[in-house]
Amino acid sequence: MDVYELDEFKKNIDFMDIMFRMSCASARLAFGAGLERLPLDYSGEKIDSDIEEGRYRLRAAIIAQIVEFESLLKMVGE
């Protein structure tokens, strides 16, 4: 591989790194926004236990995804 090809290869790697970071950060923000819009309670409204369980599981899944994206960003940043 000559110097020009090596330089182009490094540029491609840098570009993929930036795109990966942006993708992870965007997904993390989207999950965070979704989590904020998911209420914990409905002020006195009677909630079916299945719906409550579903909300709990959805919140847990969103939080797990945020943690995963944060760890991916940290790993790539090292």
Side-chain angles (χ1 to χ4, degrees):
M1 187 179 297
D2 66 13
V3 174
Y4 174 77
E5 289 174 334
L6 183 60
D7 188 47
E8 288 300 309
F9 180 75
K10 287 179 182 178
K11 285 180 187 176
N12 287 334
I13 295 296
D14 290 342
F15 177 75
M16 286 190 295
D17 178 52
I18 290 169
M19 294 306 294
F20 178 75
R21 287 173 187 262
M22 288 174 55
S23 176
C24 286
S26 295
R28 183 180 63 185
L29 288 172
F31 278 124
L35 185 61
E36 287 178 12
R37 295 187 48 84
L38 186 64
L40 289 174
D41 60 359
Y42 282 92
S43 60
E45 185 179 329
K46 184 171 165 84
I47 304 288
D48 183 89
S49 63
D50 288 338
I51 293 173
E52 207 169 307
E53 175 66 20
R55 285 190 190 134
Y56 173 78
R57 292 178 66 180
L58 180 58
R59 289 181 70 79
I62 291 171
I63 290 169
Q65 287 299 310
I66 291 171
V67 169
E68 195 63 38
F69 282 116
E70 287 175 346
S71 65
L72 284 172
L73 286 171
K74 183 179 176 186
M75 182 177 63
V76 170
E78 295 176 348

